[in-house]
Amino acid sequence: MAKHAKPTESPDSEFRHDKGNNYYDPDIVRTDAEYDDLGVVCPSHTTERRLMTQIDLRVVPVLSILYLLAFLDRTNIANAAVYGLATDLGLVSGSNQYNTALTIFFVPYILFEIPSNIFLKKLKPHVWLSGCMFVFGLVTICQGLVKSYSGLLATRFFLGLAETGMFPGSFYLIGMWYKRAEAQKRYSFFFSSTTLAGAFGGLLAAAIGKMNGMRGYLAWRWIFILEGVVTCIVAIIFFFLIPSFPEDASWLTEDERAYVKARLQADQGRSAAERNISFKDVRTIFKDYKIFVGGFMYFGLIVPAYGYAFFAPGIIKTYGYSTIQTQLHSVPPWATAFGFAMIVAFFSDRLKHRFIFTLIPICISITGFAILLTVHTNHNLEYAALFLVTSGTYGAMPVVVCWFTQNLGGHHRRAVGTAWQIGFGNIGGIIATYAFLSTDAPLYTRGYAISIGFVCLSAASCVTYFMSVWMQNRARDRAGRNLGLTEWEKTEKGDMSPDYRYQL
């Protein structure tokens, strides 16, 4: 943060005007005020770095743990399948019943993404997110108690319904706290909780496997029961810990809240947080073709991501490992993906650029799938290819979502746009559940080919989105900012305002 003389302003002015936007100045009378890189003055009792550290510790870890448990409860069925879930519930060998159980999760999960974000804004994040978390923890416990295939289908459906708001709601909430140039590290850390969930899931499954037969329950049941209990306990604690939006954060002082709001306004424009989202807002947002491009960017990566998450233990088992060794060998690819995603995020934020950091991981993912598609006799190379698949896919996904989400200006456009991207993208989860069929083992040629195709779709969508926002930035530079719009009209337009510039 730079320290310099404060620009001359009227003493009774509450705002400074710069680049077509208004900014709150909590220390208007100071002559030695510290300004950040956008020219917004920081409260005198703190610094930008100190305040952002406080926000980081309050916002990111809580939401990351929340989504880690959500992803763990969603994908632990893959670990349970290795321990005999299909046999115990009487699933027909060689049928698609297991795949159908995976698919039914996505039906409510996709349909209720946008309504969930609207409820999030109405009910406050700590109420909505912790409530949903408790419910999906309870459903996970019930999943471990089912006695039939129909019971499994019912619990998977309600699990999808309860989890529908976790990812888009958390992404939306994080996006309302950080500037675009500093958001990627936070998004990637949050998103990479999925890779940590995969790693922990394997370790937990290996340990829980030793409880097989305890109190009359097979190991696969204990996986659901124990992980569901943990989720319910954490949900109760998180009711008091999940952060709210900046304007409602009671753990910040009034001038700190004003500063956070002002720096976001300087970076992204006004948010229109004071009014509710209407159906007209939703209809207007979908008139922007970039919304659909953003959906396909994520959609293309979801297929390989869920394909791996749901079928990795089964794929690894074909390499000749025992049940316990299969669970343990599922851990390293996930752990590597976490480290790679954080490296990508660091350089993306450092260079304040997103596009190239979507293409590099995507190319790595394609390389991994190409090896799996063509090599069938070298299990060590095939296992190494799984590292490329996880690192590439899960390294690109947070960049794609962060890039699109942070380019949406205003509460209403970001709430709807984020939910749309995640909801539409998760249709790919349905495709993923049928991409890897038991009848295709051990080669899984169809699944790998489908995955490569969809990763290429994501790459093409990223190129399209980049060209779109680059051309719109150029057009707005030529047109200028003074187009006779009031500040209220600019606020309503969000990122469609002539003042707004997209991040590339």
Side-chain angles (χ1 to χ4, degrees):
M1 178 183 296
K3 179 181 286 189
H4 54 77
K6 185 179 180 305
T8 304
E9 295 247 12
S10 170
D12 56 353
S13 172
E14 188 182 1
F15 296 90
R16 63 180 288 269
H17 192 73
D18 184 30
K19 297 182 179 181
N21 287 309
N22 289 324
Y23 302 94
Y24 177 76
D25 187 342
D27 291 288
I28 200 72
V29 298
R30 293 173 60 201
T31 59
D32 62 341
E34 288 189 355
Y35 288 82
D36 63 17
D37 57 350
L38 293 175
V40 184
V41 67
C42 186
S44 58
H45 65 273
T46 189
T47 64
E48 181 186 31
R49 183 174 182 178
R50 188 184 307 158
L51 184 58
M52 294 315 298
T53 299
Q54 180 184 355
I55 292 171
D56 283 342
L57 294 175
R58 185 62 187 263
V59 175
V60 179
V62 171
L63 295 179
S64 297
I65 294 172
L66 181 152
Y67 193 60
L68 183 152
L69 293 173
F71 195 79
L72 186 64
D73 288 352
R74 181 186 317 169
T75 60
N76 55 12
I77 189 173
N79 302 107
V82 175
Y83 283 127
L85 174 147
T87 302
D88 194 34
L89 294 183
L91 274 62
V92 179
S93 178
S95 72
N96 295 335
Q97 287 181 315
Y98 174 73
N99 304 79
T100 302
L102 299 179
T103 301
I104 199 169
F105 168 90
F106 289 99
V107 176
Y109 189 77
I110 293 166
L111 293 177
F112 293 99
E113 298 270 8
I114 293 178
S116 176
N117 265 12
I118 294 174
F119 279 119
L120 174 75
K121 192 170 185 299
K122 285 180 176 291
L123 299 178
K124 303 301 180 183
H126 76 282
V127 176
W128 181 248
L129 293 179
S130 65
C132 290
M133 187 179 185
F134 184 85
V135 172
F136 73 69
L138 192 61
V139 173
T140 300
I141 296 172
C142 294
Q143 199 171 202
L145 302 175
V146 297
K147 300 296 184 181
S148 64
Y149 176 59
S150 59
L152 179 64
L153 291 179
T155 54
R156 293 296 295 179
F157 178 87
F158 286 108
L159 185 66
L161 181 63
E163 285 201 22
T164 187
M166 295 300 100
F167 187 64
S170 297
F171 248 83
Y172 168 39
L173 183 57
I174 291 173
M176 301 313 296
W177 280 96
Y178 297 104
K179 296 183 298 186
R180 288 175 292 177
E182 66 190 12
Q184 187 62 63
K185 291 191 295 291
R186 281 84 176 182
Y187 271 125
S188 289
F189 186 88
F190 163 78
F191 192 93
S192 294
S193 60
T194 60
T195 60
L196 292 179
F200 286 137
L203 290 173
L204 289 172
I208 294 173
K210 298 177 182 180
M211 297 177 62
N212 190 45
M214 186 178 293
R215 295 189 177 275
Y217 289 135
L218 296 180
W220 72 265
R221 294 186 182 274
W222 283 115
I223 289 175
F224 292 130
I225 293 170
L226 294 180
E227 293 176 4
V229 168
V230 170
T231 299
C232 289
I233 293 172
V234 174
I236 295 172
I237 298 172
F238 275 14
F239 177 84
F240 304 98
L241 296 181
I242 292 176
S244 187
F245 296 111
E247 53 268 20
D248 301 320
S250 59
W251 44 277
L252 294 177
T253 64
E254 183 177 352
D255 55 349
E256 288 173 342
R257 289 195 296 270
Y259 170 67
V260 172
K261 185 178 179 181
R263 68 197 296 273
L264 290 176
Q265 180 183 320
D267 183 55
Q268 305 170 18
R270 292 180 179 272
S271 68
E274 65 280 355
R275 71 169 180 82
N276 292 325
I277 299 170
S278 66
F279 178 76
K280 181 181 179 182
D281 291 327
V282 177
R283 188 177 58 197
T284 301
I285 289 165
F286 281 102
K287 292 179 181 179
D288 179 10
Y289 72 93
K290 296 193 302 299
I291 296 293
F292 297 96
V293 178
F296 279 104
M297 289 161 61
Y298 187 63
F299 173 73
L301 293 174
I302 278 290
V303 175
Y306 274 120
Y308 184 82
F310 284 134
F311 298 100
I315 292 171
I316 294 172
K317 193 173 184 180
T318 64
Y319 300 158
Y321 298 114
S322 67
T323 300
I324 298 296
Q325 285 297 314
T326 294
Q327 304 288 8
L328 294 176
H329 275 81
S330 70
V331 175
W334 287 114
T336 302
F338 174 80
F340 181 75
M342 295 311 301
I343 292 172
V344 170
F346 173 81
F347 284 105
S348 180
D349 269 354
R350 188 71 174 266
L351 299 177
K352 298 182 179 180
H353 184 80
R354 302 289 180 246
F355 173 57
I356 194 66
F357 293 101
T358 63
L359 292 190
I360 292 175
I362 283 175
C363 289
I364 292 175
S365 179
I366 291 174
T367 302
F369 280 116
I371 294 173
L372 292 170
L373 193 60
T374 55
V375 178
H376 305 301
T377 57
N378 188 336
H379 291 327
N380 289 332
L381 181 56
E382 291 175 79
Y383 182 62
L386 298 181
F387 286 77
L388 300 180
V389 167
T390 53
S391 296
T393 303
Y394 286 91
M397 290 176 75
V399 183
V400 162
V401 179
C402 175
W403 186 21
F404 177 74
T405 300
Q406 292 294 92
N407 270 341
L408 294 169
H411 262 275
H412 51 294
R413 284 184 63 82
R414 183 165 297 175
V416 176
T418 301
W420 153 257
Q421 185 189 39
I422 305 305
F424 176 76
N426 276 304
I427 296 175
I430 297 177
I431 298 172
T433 58
Y434 286 104
F436 294 84
L437 302 177
S438 59
T439 53
D440 293 336
L443 301 183
Y444 293 110
T445 301
R446 173 167 27 196
Y448 297 143
I450 289 173
S451 297
I452 283 183
F454 276 96
V455 174
C456 290
L457 171 64
S458 178
S461 301
C462 289
V463 172
T464 302
Y465 184 76
F466 170 77
M467 294 302 298
S468 299
V469 295
W470 177 70
M471 288 189 295
Q472 287 194 0
N473 281 351
R474 289 193 63 188
R476 291 175 186 181
D477 287 340
R478 289 194 298 267
R481 299 174 184 270
N482 187 16
L483 301 181
L485 296 176
T486 65
E487 288 300 319
W488 182 86
E489 289 172 324
K490 292 178 181 179
T491 300
E492 289 297 298
K493 284 182 172 293
D495 58 278
M496 304 303 287
S497 166
D499 287 352
Y500 198 95
R501 297 298 180 269
Y502 294 105
Q503 188 174 45
L504 302 179

